[in-house]
Amino acid sequence: MASGSELNLCCPICHDIFDNPVLLSCSHSFCKACLQRWWRQKQSHKCPVCQSTSGRKHPPCNLALKNLCEAFLLERDQSAETLCGLHSEKLKLFCLDHQQPVCLVCRDSEKHTEHRFRPIDEAARDRREELQKTLKPLEKKLKLFKRIKGNFVQTAEHIRVQARHAKREIKKQFKKLHEFLNMEEDERIAAVKDEEKQKREMMKEKMEALSRQIEALSDTVRATEEELRAEDISFLHSYAASVDRVQRCPQLEEPQLHLGALIDEAKHLGNLNFNIWNKMNEVCDHSYSPVILDPNTAHPGIVLSEDLSCVRWGERPKLPDNPQRFDSSCIVLGSEGFESGLHSWEVEVGDSSHWILGVAPESVERKGHLDSRSGLWTVALHKSTYKAFSPLNPMFALPVKKQLQRIRVDLDCDRKELSFSDPNKLIHTFSCTSTEALFPFIGTSDEYLLRIRPHTENNTSYSDDDDEDSDDNDFKCDSSDDSSVFASVLKLMESRE
């Protein structure tokens, strides 16, 4: 049975707590849905209590009463949660066996015989701690997922930036090609027009001269024919003059077209595509690179040139992390790996004081610090000393006396050999035992620009002395210091000194 206070909050129609109450002009309130249903049944807009006619078809909401009802329902629900549903007693204990709150009567009932109990506050505290422990992995995962989502958002934006940059560069390069082709087209059409003009002028002069000769001959022939038609006496009188006129007419040679009078189509059209292609190659040769670097693998501190053939250390916009990118070692891989054949390229290191280059397998670890087990075959300059190392060789110094300006790299996949030279004198040769594709890589912590160039042809053959100089055993460092030296060289790849 409802209490007095609860009755004041009940709708006169449904006798339940008001739901979205509305207020009539007579000051009586009803549930909005109840009042609309009542009016539809009675087909009038009278108050269900006092029968006074309402002046409005849609009465206003009784906001004060609505708030009061909602507060009452909330308080009632909270009170119901603290009372036992069986005995209407306050819940003071927690049954550890049934894992539920109980009252004192429940504790003494047969249902909970020999069960273990704890006070409500202790049980709530213990279970809060348990739930918090269970929640920690989820919180960590949520934090991780949010960080990953942030990286995904950054990656999506970077993809848009990459696409815009790629389209801009493609348009720039094609604009150059279009300009070259348009210029080449204009030059070749102009050459045809010049030849056409020249030879048409020549033919015009010849035709004008021939026209004058035809006119002179026509006059002589016409005059002679008229005299031939004259009377005998008249003809005989003019005969001597006619013969003299005919004899005085110059003996003209038959006009002939000279050699080369026509347009030289063979010159203009012969091998046209090939000639244009060759000329285009001459224009584009200066930008050719045998190794194209992959910006998606570049450490965030590595700045690449527009044609992806030069690197230096510098500030770059914040880049999204991805599985391909090196995050600790300041290097960048080539975009193409080599599994067979002979491949050569040169790197202009110039006056750079810190650099590293070589080849790496596709499975090389991209995250964290590289070590001697990372599978790199490399030569590096660190603290004015040239060093080399590989998966099978500890760090060792190279017998290089002068400063190197250009390093040539020769990778023979079939013979499993990797050679470094300067660029004609052999510096060192590795035996590459990797069964994976090998990717060129280059790295620096120096702002000096390193350039990848096509290798220069030479006929230098390496002597036996060179091979002896490059023997690993002659230049190995103290084995006790291998790991520290290796870490020191790679340190230059991890931060600017």
Side-chain angles (χ1 to χ4, degrees), residues 237-256:
H237 282 297
S238 61
Y239 172 73
S242 297
V243 171
D244 183 58
R245 183 172 59 249
V246 171
Q247 290 176 346
R248 281 189 292 105
C249 185
Q251 299 297 319
L252 301 176
E253 295 182 1
E254 181 179 346
Q256 298 288 336

Side-chain angles (χ1 to χ4, degrees), residues 284-383:
C284 298
D285 272 349
H286 70 280
S287 61
Y288 169 74
S289 175
V291 173
I292 298 299
L293 301 173
D294 183 359
N296 292 333
T297 68
H299 179 276
I302 292 291
V303 178
L304 278 68
S305 61
E306 292 293 346
D307 62 357
L308 306 179
S309 66
C310 304
V311 298
R312 65 174 177 84
W313 179 268
E315 296 296 327
R316 294 183 64 184
K318 187 176 181 181
L319 299 174
D321 189 23
N322 69 80
Q324 300 167 268
R325 191 179 307 286
F326 289 91
D327 62 354
S328 294
S329 299
C330 298
I331 62 177
V332 55
L333 293 183
S335 61
E336 180 183 1
F338 305 126
E339 295 184 88
S340 62
L342 178 62
H343 307 275
S344 300
W345 61 95
E346 292 184 2
V347 181
E348 290 183 0
V349 294
D351 296 327
S352 175
S353 58
H354 296 282
W355 52 259
I356 184 170
L357 57 94
V359 297
E362 188 173 11
S363 61
V364 62
E365 181 59 45
R366 316 294 175 92
K367 307 304 177 186
H369 304 304
L370 297 176
D371 56 30
S372 58
R373 296 165 296 178
S374 301
L376 303 178
W377 287 267
T378 185
V379 166
L381 173 63
H382 178 57
K383 294 184 178 179

Side-chain angles (χ1 to χ4, degrees), residues 1-16:
M1 185 175 180
S3 63
S5 60
E6 185 175 347
L7 286 174
N8 292 331
L9 300 178
C10 291
C11 171
I13 299 177
C14 66
H15 305 292
D16 201 354

